[in-house]
Amino acid sequence: MLSRTADHLFWMSRYTERAENTARMLDVNYQTSLLPQSNAAAQVGWKGLLSISELLPSYTQTHGGINVRNVMDFMVKDDSNPSSIVSCLSAARENARAVRGTLTTEVWETQNQTWLEVKRMIKSGEFERDPGQFFEWVKFRSHLSRGVTVGTMLMDEALHFMRLGTFLERADNTARLVDVKFHALQSDPSDASNGKATEYDFYHWSAILRSVSGFEVYRKVYRDIIKPERVAELLILRADMPRSLHASMNEVVSNLELVGSEQSGETQRRAGKLRASLQYGRIDEILATGLHAFLTQFLDRVNDLGVSISRDFLVPAPA
């Protein structure tokens, strides 16, 4: 496969996944903001959302102080923000258009229709009228895109590069979410296990779980009250949790093996080593040595993996 084609497929999937992840985080913050809480707590939540995407400096330069409406607009429909939902869906559609001949009609029409529809929804004010419904729509279109891709694409290199983009992006986002949300908790993470969990803490952890469609999964797996260390374990180490770091890296490793070449041996080794740290890790050891340090290192290694994949298979970034 041509490296340029692989590059477009890889980034088409990354941008689609990024739009979904942004919608998930915004939806949780929006729903949480409707609960009784202090202005300071609300500010922490919206500031944390910008920090997850490393967009706080960019937002501050444009809008100044944290304002709910401004943050929502910046993360949803601001063309100047490359990580806004509109920008991500536009980039996904442009990458799809560039490799139209490689995609099935169903995959192309799904991407194109998503872009046309989001433009219409923004123009007509549907986002402002019901943000929650808009976020659900973005998530649904991402689910539809993945389903149509798996259901209609030939199981060849094109599909493998698309899957690589999806799960590398998912691993990155889940790690950022867990890191920022644990930092945002005012009380000590061990308070829940000491029986000091407050009502706010319950909603805080419930919101994190709902942002990755993990609330029902948590109940099914642990059958207990929500505890921070178990939330961390579910989202980091559980291979059977679809949006966990472990599950995402399993997909990255398996798809890398399917497109592997002589020059990608080192990239595959790094991916396997990163997956092994999750496969054989224990949450008590991770918490003892520092969750923030673990996740920061994980993000560095995922970013390094993305650079290596680009070097081995995709179009090199301009110097």
Side-chain angles (χ1 to χ4, degrees):
M1 172 177 284
L2 292 173
S3 61
R4 187 169 297 280
T5 301
D7 188 76
H8 285 303
L9 294 169
F10 178 82
W11 283 104
M12 179 191 80
S13 296
R14 283 202 77 159
Y15 280 121
T16 301
E17 179 72 18
R18 190 173 298 176
E20 179 188 348
N21 290 329
T22 301
R24 286 175 175 276
M25 290 186 294
L26 283 168
D27 191 30
V28 167
N29 266 53
Y30 173 69
Q31 299 296 342
T32 305
S33 70
L34 301 178
L35 298 170
Q37 60 178 320
S38 66
N39 288 332
Q43 290 273 323
V44 168
W46 291 107
K47 186 175 181 180
L49 186 145
L50 292 167
S51 299
I52 288 174
S53 305
E54 298 181 3
L55 291 170
L56 188 56
S58 177
Y59 170 86
T60 305
Q61 185 178 358
T62 307
H63 298 285
I66 302 294
N67 173 278
V68 175
R69 174 50 58 190
N70 287 342
V71 174
M72 294 267 273
D73 286 349
F74 180 70
M75 294 298 290
V76 171
K77 59 183 184 179
D78 192 333
D79 292 331
S80 66
N81 172 14
S83 291
S84 72
I85 289 175
V86 166
S87 294
C88 287
L89 294 179
S90 174
R93 190 256 186 186
E94 286 305 304
N95 277 284
R97 187 175 62 83
V99 288
R100 172 68 186 86
T102 305
L103 304 174
T104 60
T105 299
E106 291 89 345
V107 172
W108 160 248
E109 288 184 349
T110 299
Q111 290 286 352
N112 192 44
Q113 186 62 36
T114 299
W115 169 236
L116 295 174
E117 188 70 6
V118 77
K119 285 201 300 182
R120 183 196 65 77
M121 294 172 79
I122 294 296
K123 187 175 181 180
S124 67
E126 287 187 37
F127 160 59
E128 284 82 0
R129 283 196 295 275
D130 192 345
Q133 186 62 38
F134 176 80
F135 297 140
E136 285 299 319
W137 177 86
V138 174
K139 289 191 282 182
F140 170 76
R141 297 302 297 188
S142 179
H143 295 327
L144 182 62
S145 177
R146 277 196 305 276
V148 169
T149 298
V150 174
T152 67
M153 290 285 290
L154 189 67
M155 296 181 186
D156 61 1
E157 285 188 331
L159 180 63
H160 302 324
F161 278 113
M162 292 165 74
R163 302 283 285 176
L164 258 180
T166 293
F167 289 101
L168 202 64
E169 181 68 29
R170 185 175 296 181
D172 178 273
N173 186 266
T174 300
R176 292 178 187 276
L177 176 72
V178 174
D179 190 26
V180 171
K181 292 299 185 182
F182 264 77
H183 262 296
L185 189 64
Q186 298 300 311
S187 59
D188 187 275
S190 63
D191 280 355
S193 58
N194 293 335
K196 300 178 183 177
T198 65
E199 186 176 357
Y200 172 75
D201 289 340
F202 172 80
Y203 285 117
H204 177 92
W205 296 115
S206 297
I208 293 173
L209 289 169
R210 291 185 192 282
S211 72
V212 291
S213 299
F215 185 76
E216 290 86 357
V217 173
Y218 182 96
R219 292 298 197 195
K220 186 174 182 179
V221 171
Y222 296 108
R223 302 177 183 276
D224 199 356
I225 62 170
I226 298 177
K227 298 180 179 180
E229 63 272 18
R230 287 184 172 173
V231 173
E233 181 180 57
L234 183 72
L235 300 185
I236 295 173
L237 299 180
R238 294 282 305 204
D240 51 358
M241 168 61 187
R243 304 190 74 85
S244 73
L245 303 188
H246 191 175
S248 298
M249 285 310 303
N250 280 344
E251 290 284 347
V252 170
V253 169
S254 62
N255 282 283
L256 261 179
E257 289 175 352
L258 292 167
V259 299
S261 62
E262 291 182 4
Q263 65 186 25
S264 65
E266 177 60 19
T267 300
Q268 289 176 253
R269 187 191 71 82
R270 292 182 185 182
K273 190 175 179 182
L274 183 53
R275 194 260 300 267
S277 69
L278 299 167
Q279 185 175 352
Y280 299 107
R282 291 169 56 95
I283 196 62
D284 53 343
E285 294 174 353
I286 291 173
L287 294 175
T289 55
L291 182 65
H292 177 63
F294 175 85
L295 292 170
T296 300
Q297 185 184 54
F298 178 87
L299 283 166
D300 288 341
R301 293 170 74 179
V302 164
N303 182 61
D304 178 61
L305 199 55
V307 171
S308 297
I309 290 171
S310 294
R311 185 188 61 239
D312 292 345
F313 302 107
L314 312 178
V315 177

